Amino acid sequence: QVQLVESGGGLVQAGDSLRLSCAASGRTFSGYTMGWFRQAPGKEREFVAAITWSGYSTSYADSVKGRFTISRDNAKNTVALQMNSLKPEDTAVYYCAGRTGYFETSASRYNYWGQGTQVTVSS
């Protein structure tokens, strides 16, 4: 069992940056692929980014490529999402998720979830 806790959300203006962090506890964190998803009101949860257990491979949604960067520190059991050039359409609750195996873009493939952190980008 892995417990995930996100932090770092908030209210920012368009063009600003924000860094989300996810702290993991429980089973060996380094063995898990970690991902970030987001869900806006009235919309389905969507894939944002993922990183393999080694940190060598990453994947991004087209909507955030070039603006967001996912990283992890296995020694500290944390995964981060650096978000730059934020847009109002990035407004959502952001969730950290974990799974065994390679990264997947489907939320249903992830076994462990945090409670989410709200990101609001004003225009």
Side-chain angles (χ1 to χ4, degrees), residues 33-83:
T33 287
M34 300 301 296
W36 285 95
F37 288 77
R38 66 187 182 187
Q39 188 166 19
K43 294 188 177 181
E44 292 188 354
R45 192 167 298 189
E46 66 172 1
F47 171 78
V48 175
I51 187 167
T52 54
W53 69 269
S54 67
Y56 290 148
S57 295
T58 57
S59 178
Y60 296 93
D62 288 343
S63 59
V64 306
K65 267 180 192 174
R67 300 188 298 122
F68 291 10
T69 302
I70 189 171
S71 61
R72 68 189 296 163
D73 185 336
N74 288 339
K76 296 182 179 179
N77 286 357
T78 59
V79 60
L81 185 68
Q82 177 66 40
M83 306 185 294

Side-chain angles (χ1 to χ4, degrees), residues 10-123:
L11 171 62
V12 296
Q13 294 186 332
D16 285 351
S17 298
L18 207 56
R19 185 177 179 86
L20 304 183
S21 184
C22 174
S25 60
R27 298 185 66 179
T28 305
F29 171 76
S30 61
Y32 288 81
T33 287
M34 300 301 296
W36 285 95
F37 288 77
R38 66 187 182 187
Q39 188 166 19
K43 294 188 177 181
E44 292 188 354
R45 192 167 298 189
E46 66 172 1
F47 171 78
V48 175
I51 187 167
T52 54
W53 69 269
S54 67
Y56 290 148
S57 295
T58 57
S59 178
Y60 296 93
D62 288 343
S63 59
V64 306
K65 267 180 192 174
R67 300 188 298 122
F68 291 10
T69 302
I70 189 171
S71 61
R72 68 189 296 163
D73 185 336
N74 288 339
K76 296 182 179 179
N77 286 357
T78 59
V79 60
L81 185 68
Q82 177 66 40
M83 306 185 294
N84 299 329
S85 302
L86 282 161
K87 304 175 182 180
E89 50 263 45
D90 294 318
T91 295
V93 176
Y94 282 71
Y95 296 91
C96 175
R99 70 180 304 274
T100 55
Y102 207 58
F103 42 60
E104 293 275 355
T105 59
S106 173
S108 64
R109 298 287 190 173
Y110 286 76
N111 308 103
Y112 305 105
W113 291 87
Q115 82 290 349
T117 185
Q118 176 71 47
V119 172
T120 303
V121 185
S122 64
S123 57

